[in-house]
């Protein structure tokens, strides 16, 4: 079916293609039964692109990404390419995509399906039903600020320097993403910094409040110091809806939140750029996990992180919330029915392959749509 929604699919290396082929079956289902279709182009990235073209991302593929409404990414990397110099490694393909698409907002949901609540290191009652979203500013802050470097002082001691820098436009745009998203969720944003000890945090807090008051008065806004947020995430994680924070704190807090869910094979993510004036926003969706060379080719990978990345794409790039809900419900039902891939296996459950997990999601979609 013809569609004006352009989707670039980059399965990549290792278990990337294995997981992506289950997603493509789900995409077919949506085209057939829900009239949700895409103009799909599939290309190589990472090690697969190095083998075929000598580079982890060709200029042509980069251009396709820039011209697409969304990019769906699998995973890159593996032992075969580990000897290459850093600039030629598979991971550079992903870094180039993030940089040239100017993806400044990284969305990491921490969603705990009831059936998997026991996989968390926290007690079930603290995590069952958890659904929070961490938005990390991805292109600014201390990882990019100048001056930076290591210098030797006149007395011979050495000094390492990094600089935390944020401008008002950088803060404004990521806060807008947070408020927008909260509007599609429970309507609550918690903005996190260290305004008590950092001027950049003071500015962050001021701008967050300003954007809220001017543009999003109906969303609830609270402010929290990053150290307190780390404690609250493991004390009472269900108090949060959307957390928005800078690059450094986001790096740490999103990994902490991810571990509340206890399973890498279940974690999707999205990275968003700016609106381009036609209402389109550059976006890349990918599972948090890597290419898992230790299980590649055995048909045992958990495809659900990639499946859930696809449902994030439906929700956030195409405003197809009902269709995204359908996928998430199908995942819930399949897990509730006791099917597990090896990574999330529990006693008394049925261990299944990547393909059987895909089959089960399709069967569930059929049942839900009946
Ligand atoms: P990894 O995420 O690939 O694997 C970590 C462990 O989790 C492995 O034991 C793996 O088998 C398991 N695992 C991960 N995803 C799984 C899934 N869907 N189902 C079942 N088990 C799963 O991380 P790693 O081993 O540190 O890295 C392997 C390669 O992936 C490296 O080359 C690394 O650079 C690359 N990597 C790529 C990305 C990316 O493409 N975004 C992210 C992280 C790592």
């Amino acid at each position: 079916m013809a569609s004006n929604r352009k989707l670039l699919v980059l399965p990549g290396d290792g278990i990337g293609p294995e997981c992506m082929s289950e997603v493509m079956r789900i995409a077919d289902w949506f085209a057939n039964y829900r009239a949700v279709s895409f103009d799909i182009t599939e290309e190589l990235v990472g090690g697969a692109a190095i083998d075929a073209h000598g580079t982890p991302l060709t200029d042509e593929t980069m251009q396709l990404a820039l011209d697409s409404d969304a990019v769906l990414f699998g995973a890159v990397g593996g032992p075969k390419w580990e000897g290459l110099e850093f600039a030629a490694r598979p991971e550079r393909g992903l870094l180039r995509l993030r940089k040239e698409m100017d993806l400044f907002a990284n969305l990491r949901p921490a969603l705990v399906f009831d059936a998997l609540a026991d996989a968390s290191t926290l007690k079930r009652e603290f995590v069952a039903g958890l659904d929070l979203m961490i938005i990390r500013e991805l292109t600014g802050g201390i990882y990019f600020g100048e001056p930076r470097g290591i210098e030797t002082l006149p007395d011979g001691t050495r000094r390492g320097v990094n600089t935390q820098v944020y401008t008002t436009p950088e803060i404004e745009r990521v806060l807008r993403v947070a408020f927008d998203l909260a509007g599609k969720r429970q309507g609550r944003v918690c903005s996190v910094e260290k305004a008590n000890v950092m001027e950049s945090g003071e500015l962050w807090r001021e701008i967050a409040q300003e954007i809220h008051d001017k543009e999003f008065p109906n969303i609830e806004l609270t402010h929290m110091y990053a150290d307190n947020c780390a404690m609250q995430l493991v004390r009472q994680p269900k108090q949060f809806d959307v957390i928005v924070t800078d690059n450094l704190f986001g790096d740490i807090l999103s990994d902490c939140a991810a571990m509340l869910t206890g399973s890498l094979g279940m974690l999707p993510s999205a990275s968003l750029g700016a609106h381009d004036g036609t209402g389109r926003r550059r976006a890349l969706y990918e599972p948090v996990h890597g290419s898992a060379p230790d299980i590649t080719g055995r048909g045992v990978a958990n495809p659900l992180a990639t499946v859930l990345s696809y449902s994030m794409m439906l929700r956030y790039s195409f405003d197809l919330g009902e269709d995204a809900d359908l996928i998430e419900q199908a995942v819930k039902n399949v897990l509730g029915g006791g099917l597990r891939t090896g990574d999330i296996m529990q006693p008394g459950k049925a261990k299944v392959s990547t393909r059987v997990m895909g089959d089960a999601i399709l069967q569930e979609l059929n049942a839900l749509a009946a």
Side-chain angles (χ1 to χ4, degrees), residues 127-245:
V127 292
L130 177 74
D131 179 6
L132 73 83
M133 173 78 80
I134 298 203
I135 302 181
R136 164 187 173 192
E137 200 289 330
L138 201 59
T139 52
I142 200 162
Y143 294 159
F144 298 94
E146 299 281 347
R148 62 184 299 157
I150 300 174
E151 59 186 348
T152 303
L153 301 174
D155 68 358
T157 53
R158 296 170 80 213
R159 184 167 74 159
V161 180
N162 290 93
T163 307
Q164 167 85 331
V165 192
Y166 272 108
T167 61
T168 47
E170 284 176 314
I171 302 171
E172 285 167 3
R173 64 183 189 173
V174 75
L175 259 299
R176 286 197 181 99
V177 170
F179 289 127
D180 255 349
L181 232 71
K184 294 178 182 173
R185 296 170 47 95
Q186 300 161 39
R188 294 184 290 118
V189 169
C190 179
S191 171
V192 170
E193 26 57 14
K194 288 280 287 177
N196 48 343
V197 287
M198 294 169 75
E199 283 77 3
S200 56
E202 205 180 306
L203 182 69
W204 182 287
R205 184 173 286 220
E206 197 182 291
I207 301 297
Q209 193 64 51
E210 227 175 81
I211 295 286
H212 170 267
D213 297 351
K214 271 195 216 145
E215 300 175 28
F216 301 91
N218 298 328
I219 302 291
E220 181 191 307
L221 171 66
T222 51
H223 304 276
M224 191 178 276
Y225 298 138
D227 47 343
N228 185 24
C229 184
M231 286 198 289
Q232 297 300 328
L233 270 176
V234 289
R235 196 183 75 91
Q236 208 58 267
K238 285 194 247 179
Q239 70 185 279
F240 297 109
D241 177 20
V242 173
I243 291 174
V244 59
T245 188

Side-chain angles (χ1 to χ4, degrees), residues 15 19 73-79 82 91 94 98 264-265 286-295 300-303 343:
I15 62 167
C19 295
F73 188 95
V76 290
E82 260 160 27
E91 292 77 5
L94 179 57
R98 286 184 181 151
L264 193 53
E286 57 174 326
V288 168
H289 65 72
S291 57
D294 53 333
I295 57 166
V300 298
N302 184 348
D343 58 312

Side-chain angles (χ1 to χ4, degrees), residues 50-126:
I50 293 174
D51 289 351
H53 306 298
T55 170
L57 186 78
T58 63
D59 292 344
E60 291 74 23
T61 306
M62 185 65 240
Q63 193 56 48
L64 281 172
L66 293 172
D67 294 341
S68 298
D69 294 300
V71 177
L72 192 61
F73 188 95
V76 290
K80 183 175 177 192
W81 306 281
E82 260 160 27
L84 296 175
E85 63 174 277
F86 187 68
R89 303 262 287 260
E91 292 77 5
R92 297 297 286 192
L94 179 57
L95 295 179
R96 182 175 176 199
L97 282 164
R98 286 184 181 151
K99 181 156 182 266
E100 294 191 26
M101 291 171 78
D102 194 16
L103 303 173
F104 62 83
N106 183 230
L107 279 53
R108 291 265 296 260
L111 194 66
V112 176
F113 294 98
D114 275 1
L116 295 184
D118 294 321
S120 173
T121 47
L122 293 197
K123 293 192 196 86
R124 160 177 275 278
E125 69 256 36
F126 291 100

Side-chain angles (χ1 to χ4, degrees), residues 267-319:
L267 293 171
S269 80
S271 299
L272 306 181
H275 283 292
D276 67 359
T278 66
R280 197 182 62 165
R281 182 194 274 290
R282 295 219 164 106
L284 181 141
Y285 298 85
E286 57 174 326
V288 168
H289 65 72
S291 57
D294 53 333
I295 57 166
T296 297
R298 289 171 36 203
V300 298
N302 184 348
L304 295 179
T306 318
V307 169
L308 293 169
S309 301
Y310 181 78
S311 87
M312 280 186 89
M313 179 196 84
L314 295 181
R315 190 182 304 282
Y316 297 118
S317 277
F318 301 108
D319 230 353

